[in-house]
Amino acid sequence: MYREPLESDVILVVDDKPSNLETLYTILEKVGFRVFVAQNGEKAIQIAESIRPHLILLDVIMPGINGFETCRHLKAKPALREIPVIFLTDLSETINKAEGFQVGGVDYLSKPIDENELLARDRRAHV
């Protein structure tokens, strides 16, 4: 059963592609989440420190520090360690999914994002 987002339910979406950010922002805001966005890992870490989201959706392949390295930085900070991270990846990308779990990710979502799957993964991250 779907749970309506609370006012405190804040999601940070990190992706270097503006079109992906727009899609995710639209889906999440429509159902009531407060959504913040970042286009790179460095900015994501700064935003996470200031807002302490309840969930981070993090693209794996980005210029600068990639999603796995960003997750390592997030998990190294005691105040951010418990925030669930769901990695975003294109179906065509070859990545080491085990590495994502080793650095602290809780799940993966494949792009293009399916709205129902996204909302189900949000619920699952909080079980």
Side-chain angles (χ1 to χ4, degrees), residues 82-101:
E82 299 303 317
I83 299 170
V85 174
I86 297 177
F87 287 109
L88 306 173
T89 184
D90 286 320
L91 287 173
S92 62
E93 294 172 348
T94 303
I95 59 166
N96 181 353
K97 287 191 175 184
E99 182 179 2
F101 294 119

Side-chain angles (χ1 to χ4, degrees), residues 15-17 20 58-63 66-68 87-97 108-112:
D15 198 305
D16 60 312
K17 294 183 177 70
N20 292 337
L58 181 58
D59 188 20
V60 173
I61 308 297
M62 297 184 293
N66 69 25
F68 295 148
F87 287 109
L88 306 173
T89 184
D90 286 320
L91 287 173
S92 62
E93 294 172 348
T94 303
I95 59 166
N96 181 353
K97 287 191 175 184
Y108 279 88
L109 257 173
S110 296
K111 298 183 222 172

